[in-house]
Structures are given as C-alpha cells and as structure tokens.
Amino acid sequence: MDWFALVKHSVVYTATIYVMSLVLGAISIVGIGLVLLSHVLIDRGGLVRWWVISINNGQLDNVWLRFMVDQSLHILVLIGVLLI
C-alpha cells in the first residue's frame, strides 16, 4: 500500500469536504479530523473487506458490493460529522 498516496488522497477529500461545508454550514475542527481519519481507515480497505465478508456474507471479488459498502461508510461518517 502506498501510504503517501492514501494520505494525499484523504487530505484532498477532507479539504473538499471542508470547503463545501463553508458554503453549507461549517463542520467543527473535530469533525474535519474525524473525516480525515475515517477516510484513511475506510480507504485502506480492511474495514470494507471485513464488512463484505462478515456482514454481507459476500465475496471479495464482487467489486460492485465493495464499492457500495465503501461509499456507504463514507456517507455514514459525513452524516455523523454533521450531527456533531
């Protein structure tokens, strides 16, 4: 795994969320930190793999299922941060 690329991608994602939150209503600094941390953890893939196998009883070769789980986790984090 290329940690530099993952962290760079996560920082860009978090910065984009932060800029958009300025327009729609600011997210706290704690919320921004949670977005960054969760993005790194989700995009590492371990959580998604665990969810697909343990919760969905799916196969890892199902790319669509992995994609949907990944995106759902990101959306849940964003909803949670908005509620902080």
Side-chain angles (χ1 to χ4, degrees):
M1 166 167 300
D2 185 359
W3 277 97
F4 181 72
L6 176 62
V7 171
K8 185 169 61 170
H9 161 76
S10 297
V11 167
V12 169
Y13 173 85
T14 303
T16 303
I17 296 299
Y18 177 71
V19 169
M20 292 304 297
S21 76
L22 292 177
V23 175
L24 302 173
I27 295 175
S28 70
I29 192 69
V30 171
I32 293 298
L34 288 173
V35 168
L36 178 62
L37 178 63
S38 68
H39 198 81
V40 170
L41 293 175
I42 292 169
D43 280 8
R44 282 194 61 213
L47 181 59
V48 172
R49 277 191 299 277
W50 174 82
W51 191 279
V52 167
I53 292 170
S54 301
I55 305 299
N56 291 105
N57 294 320
Q59 299 295 319
L60 287 177
D61 60 350
N62 187 338
V63 176
W64 181 249
L65 179 58
R66 285 193 335 237
F67 172 77
M68 293 307 295
V69 168
D70 177 88
Q71 295 305 300
S72 297
L73 291 172
H74 287 301
I75 289 169
L76 287 172
V77 168
L78 292 175
I79 290 169
V81 166
L82 288 174
L83 296 176
I84 291 177

